[in-house]
């Protein structure tokens, strides 16, 4: 097979007319030569790579995720399966790898380093992955790195279990990803010296610069909820060899609209150097993680994309992976693929779900005049929360200090123990006036979480999630929209575009309830992650992650 066009050699930083000869999935020859006149030739370039993503957050299985991502010129992802790892342990990792092997795509899966994120008396997970299991995973050829080390406190304190995981990765020559928001300069240096090589949690330019100064690479994140491009994009031209791009937690309805290509086009629109942008999007991930997924060199895998131009209006026309077309845009009709027959039977999928239905009495919260209450203040577009301490002059859910319904109940319910009881807290920022949302996607342990305007509607939403053995529910007035997630309570067996469509229906129903957040389910899910500041809620308690201690409800 011969491909002709304007060849984009990112390594040599040049564009030239030529042709690429492909045989048996390998680039046999790249030849610079004049192109026959009379045609408008496209650009042929390396494909895009997401340098840090949790495929589970798309609620698609890897094989479906790959099909949708390829439509946007993505040829591979660096995937951390710690979401399913928290539910099913190592078997969950294996589930993801098996599904990924069914796709015409490149997956590099890591070994989840923090399963659970904290655990113990703070939260309940469905499984643990200890240092011995990490050591075994690190020896496997299908595991490429130690995934995000969220336990930066353990690193800084030299915790033996944490350091054993790091040592296992180093022994096998595999990179170690980081996750360390808000470190001081001295802490950052110590974190990097321990062997941590990347961080995707930098939220300010100074933090990003310090990360690079300490010897780590910055992965600029532009996900569904957490968006850091605006703060960090100057690093693309300042330190192009030390930057990569990622989406981290990316919802299905965002993925169908675009992926890394969206960040690339935005960077080009902002005037960043083309070669620096392509180095971050295509080259650095392959070099850092030691993979050869194709950079348009002779002998490389025949993996590349064909685009109409190299500017802010770049459009992917074809995605070729190992010599096979993974995506092709039909100029007459667009790309339409037949959907698989979907069965209504949701049994037989790997899961870990033991929760039983609850009643209104189970989520009562006694509040009296004169009490002091801790309120989580969530912000749209951020995974961080503020910790507000309020002296109660009335009912915080109806206090005159706030508009009606601004303070609402948030409920977290252990899904792994049938004898557990819900934990109830207070949250601001969602503004649900007449309805509720509930989900079994609640980072990282993935217990059930719900927020709503009344106890009755919260209970209704939670019990529907339980009935489905995992899923998402949105209620506005008496109307309810749902999506079952029977695979570990995280993913659907449906076609990827069908998942995206149902996500859109859920979002529309949430908007009808009065919530104005762009990504309410993701924002709610991260209320449960105790390693991100400042106040969080788990199935056991309210957690002050700044001071690493529990606080009274």
């Amino acid at each position: 097979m011969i491909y002709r066009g304007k060849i984009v050699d990112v390594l040599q930083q040049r564009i030239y007319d030529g042709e690429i000869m492909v045989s048996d999935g390998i680039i046999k020859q790249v030849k610079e030569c004049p192109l026959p006149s009379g045609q408008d030739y496209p650009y042929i370039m390396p494909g895009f790579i997401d340098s840090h993503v949790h495929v589970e957050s798309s609620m698609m299985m890897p094989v479906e995720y790959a099909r949708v991502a390829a439509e946007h010129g993505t040829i591979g992802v660096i995937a951390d399966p710690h979401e399913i790892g928290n539910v099913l342990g190592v078997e969950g990792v294996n589930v993801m790898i098996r599904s990924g092997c069914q796709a015409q795509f490149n997956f590099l899966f890591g070994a989840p380093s923090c399963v659970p994120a904290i655990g113990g008396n703070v939260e309940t997970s469905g499984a643990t992955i200890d240092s011995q299991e990490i050591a075994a995973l690190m020896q496997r050829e299908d595991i490429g790195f130690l995934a995000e080390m969220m336990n930066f406190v353990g690193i800084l304190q030299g915790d033996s279990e944490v350091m054993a995981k790091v040592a296992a990765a180093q022994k096998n020559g595999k990179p170690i990803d980081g996750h360390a928001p808000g470190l001081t300069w001295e802490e950052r240096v110590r974190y990097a010296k321990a062997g941590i090589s990347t961080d995707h949690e930098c939220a300010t330019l100074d933090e990003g610069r310090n990360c690079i100064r300490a010897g780590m690479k910055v992965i600029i994140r532009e996900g569904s909820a957490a968006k850091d491009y605006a703060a960090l994009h100057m690093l693309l031209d300042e330190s192009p060899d030390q930057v990569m791009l990622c989406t981290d937690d990316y919802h299905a309805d965002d993925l169908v609209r675009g992926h890394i290509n969206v960040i690339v086009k935005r960077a080009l629109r902002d005037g960043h150097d083309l070669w620096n942008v392509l180095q971050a999007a295509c080259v650095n991930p392959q070099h850092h993680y030691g993979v050869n997924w194709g950079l348009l060199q002779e002998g490389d895998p025949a993996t590349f994309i064909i685009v109409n131009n190299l500017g802010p209006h770049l459009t992917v026309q074809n995605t070729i992976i190992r010599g096979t077309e993974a995506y092709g845009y039909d100029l007459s009709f667009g790309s339409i693929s037949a959907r698989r027959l979907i069965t209504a039977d949701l049994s037989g999928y790997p899961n870990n779900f033991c929760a039983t239905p609850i009643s209104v009495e189970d989520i009562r919260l006694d509040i009296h005049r004169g009490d002091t209450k801790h309120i989580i203040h969530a912000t749209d577009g951020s995974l961080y929360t503020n910790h507000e301490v309020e002296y109660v002059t009335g009912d915080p859910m109806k206090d005159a200090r706030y508009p009606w319904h601004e303070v609402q109940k948030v409920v977290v319910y252990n899904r792994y123990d049938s004898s557990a009881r819900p934990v109830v807290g207070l949250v601001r920022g969602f503004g649900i006036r007449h309805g509720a949302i509930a989900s079994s996607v609640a980072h990282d342990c993935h217990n059930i979480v719900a927020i709503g305007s009344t106890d009755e509607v919260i209970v209704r939403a939670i019990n529907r999630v339980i009935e489905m053995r995992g899923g998402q529910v949105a209620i506005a007035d008496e109307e309810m929209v749902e999506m079952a997630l029977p695979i570990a309570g995280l993913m659907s067996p449906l076609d990827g575009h069908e998942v995206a469509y149902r996500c859109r229906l859920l979002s529309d129903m949430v908007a009808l309830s009065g919530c104005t957040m762009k990504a309410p389910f993701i924002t709610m899910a991260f209320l449960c992650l105790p390693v991100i500041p400042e106040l969080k809620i788990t199935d056991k308690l309210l957690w002050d992650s700044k001071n690493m201690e529990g606080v009274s409800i």
Side-chain angles (χ1 to χ4, degrees):
M1 184 73 177
I2 295 178
Y3 295 87
R4 294 184 176 90
K6 301 168 185 177
I7 298 172
V8 182
D9 188 336
V10 181
L11 297 181
Q12 300 298 320
Q13 297 191 359
R14 59 187 295 257
I15 301 171
Y16 57 88
D17 291 348
E19 58 185 32
I20 298 172
M21 181 178 294
V22 173
S23 178
D24 298 325
I26 301 296
I27 294 178
K28 298 297 184 181
Q29 185 182 45
V30 181
K31 184 170 70 172
E32 183 172 359
C33 60
L35 297 172
S37 60
Q39 296 186 47
D40 185 15
Y41 288 94
Y43 293 83
I44 304 173
M45 60 176 285
F48 305 127
I49 296 170
D50 191 323
S51 296
H52 175 76
V53 68
H54 305 288
V55 174
E56 305 97 308
S57 292
S58 71
M59 293 178 286
M60 303 174 191
M61 287 295 283
V63 64
E64 282 298 316
Y65 178 96
R67 188 170 66 85
V68 178
E71 297 175 5
H72 307 301
T74 302
I75 55 94
V77 299
I78 310 301
D80 174 6
H82 81 200
E83 312 300 353
I84 197 170
N86 273 277
V87 178
L88 297 172
V90 172
E91 177 51 31
V93 177
N94 292 332
V95 167
M96 301 298 283
I97 292 174
R98 287 196 296 268
S99 178
C101 287
Q102 299 172 20
Q104 188 69 22
F105 199 70
N106 294 294
F107 284 101
L108 184 69
F109 284 102
S113 67
C114 299
V115 175
I118 294 181
N121 295 322
V122 178
E123 58 183 348
T124 304
S125 63
T128 60
I129 298 179
D130 61 22
S131 59
Q132 290 185 329
E133 290 172 302
I134 290 293
L137 288 169
M138 286 293 99
Q139 296 178 44
R140 289 171 43 170
E141 292 185 1
D142 56 1
I143 296 292
F145 61 103
L146 183 63
E148 55 180 315
M149 178 50 72
M150 295 183 291
N151 191 352
F152 56 85
V153 174
I155 291 286
L156 298 178
Q157 294 179 350
D159 179 87
S160 59
E161 176 73 3
V162 171
M163 300 313 294
K165 295 176 181 180
V166 170
Q170 293 173 324
K171 179 181 178 180
N172 290 277
K174 296 183 178 179
I176 305 167
D177 276 358
H179 171 122
L183 293 186
T184 65
W185 166 245
E186 292 77 12
E187 290 170 336
R188 176 71 64 183
V189 170
R190 290 166 55 201
Y191 189 64
K193 284 184 176 179
I196 315 301
S197 62
T198 69
D199 200 348
H200 60 277
E201 290 290 338
C202 297
T204 69
L205 187 57
D206 284 343
E207 193 173 10
R209 287 168 173 164
N210 283 341
C211 189
I212 292 171
R213 284 175 56 211
M216 301 169 66
K217 291 183 174 64
V218 172
I219 306 179
I220 298 177
R221 171 177 57 190
E222 195 70 5
S224 290
K227 300 179 182 295
D228 302 315
Y229 170 88
L232 300 174
H233 68 94
M234 296 301 293
L235 297 175
L236 286 166
D237 288 336
E238 289 182 10
S239 305
D241 58 336
Q242 302 299 317
V243 176
M244 296 180 279
L245 307 176
C246 83
T247 58
D248 197 1
D249 291 285
Y250 210 46
H251 251 197
D253 53 340
D254 287 322
L255 182 61
V256 296
R257 292 195 294 264
H259 195 208
I260 298 300
N261 62 319
V262 174
I263 311 176
V264 167
K265 291 191 287 186
R266 182 176 177 183
L268 295 175
R269 185 172 63 249
D270 289 342
H272 290 290
D273 180 82
L274 170 68
W275 302 115
N276 291 343
V277 174
L278 296 186
Q279 182 170 346
C282 311
V283 179
N284 291 344
Q286 297 196 49
H287 289 172
H288 180 77
Y289 291 98
V291 296
N292 180 13
W293 289 346
L295 289 168
L296 283 185
Q297 307 299 301
E298 291 183 0
D300 278 359
T303 299
F304 49 84
I305 62 177
I306 299 173
V307 303
N308 64 334
N309 64 60
L310 297 176
H313 302 291
L314 174 154
T315 299
V316 177
Q317 297 177 350
N318 301 85
T319 300
I320 312 298
I321 297 180
R322 296 186 291 277
T324 299
E325 185 178 85
Y327 166 74
Y329 180 72
D330 186 307
L331 295 179
S332 299
F333 299 102
S335 178
I336 304 174
S337 59
R339 294 183 177 181
R340 302 194 312 271
L341 179 64
I342 303 300
T343 174
D345 181 11
L346 299 180
S347 64
Y349 296 106
N351 207 336
N352 186 357
F353 215 99
C354 302
T356 56
I358 63 172
S359 68
V360 169
E361 290 301 317
D362 293 319
I363 63 168
R364 295 290 187 200
L365 186 61
D366 290 331
I367 302 174
H368 305 284
R369 186 184 302 272
D371 289 348
T372 298
K373 291 296 177 184
H374 299 265
I375 299 175
I376 304 169
H377 188 177
T379 304
D380 196 14
S382 175
L383 307 185
Y384 291 77
T385 61
N386 291 327
H387 180 177
E388 298 181 352
V389 181
E390 298 295 336
Y391 178 76
V392 179
T393 58
D395 185 339
M397 299 180 71
K398 302 177 182 179
D399 197 292
R401 171 172 175 163
Y402 299 121
W404 175 247
H405 281 311
E406 186 170 338
V407 178
Q408 299 172 312
K409 282 184 179 178
V410 53
V411 178
V412 181
Y413 184 30
N414 183 337
R415 62 178 272 198
Y416 306 107
D417 181 355
S418 60
S419 65
R421 304 317 312 157
V423 169
V424 184
L426 297 173
V427 65
R428 286 184 62 207
F430 283 81
I432 299 173
R433 295 181 179 276
H434 39 82
I437 57 176
S439 176
S440 57
V441 179
H443 299 293
D444 281 339
C445 289
H446 300 295
N447 291 295
I448 302 168
V449 60
I451 298 171
S453 56
T454 68
D455 290 356
E456 290 75 15
V457 73
I458 291 173
V459 167
R460 180 186 174 197
I462 289 175
N463 285 342
R464 182 55 186 146
V465 170
I466 293 170
E467 186 178 359
M468 293 188 293
R469 299 188 75 242
Q472 292 190 330
V473 170
I475 300 174
D477 294 319
E478 295 302 316
E479 297 294 321
M480 180 168 67
V481 172
E482 63 190 41
M483 178 165 61
L485 301 174
I487 304 171
L490 300 174
M491 291 171 288
S492 167
L494 297 176
D495 169 280
H497 285 273
E498 178 70 16
V499 173
Y501 172 70
R502 296 192 182 203
C503 284
R504 187 70 263 163
L505 292 179
L506 285 162
S507 295
D508 290 346
M509 187 61 71
V510 176
L512 289 175
S513 76
C515 179
T516 59
M517 283 189 171
K518 294 180 180 178
F521 279 100
I522 288 183
T523 303
M524 179 175 69
F526 277 98
L527 297 182
C528 305
L529 185 56
V531 295
I532 293 183
E534 182 172 354
L535 184 63
K536 302 292 183 174
I537 184 169
T538 75
D539 69 294
K540 292 187 174 181
L541 76 174
L542 269 180
W543 180 252
D544 180 346
S545 60
K546 187 174 183 180
N547 297 302
M548 299 297 284
E549 62 184 15
V551 297
S552 61
I553 299 293

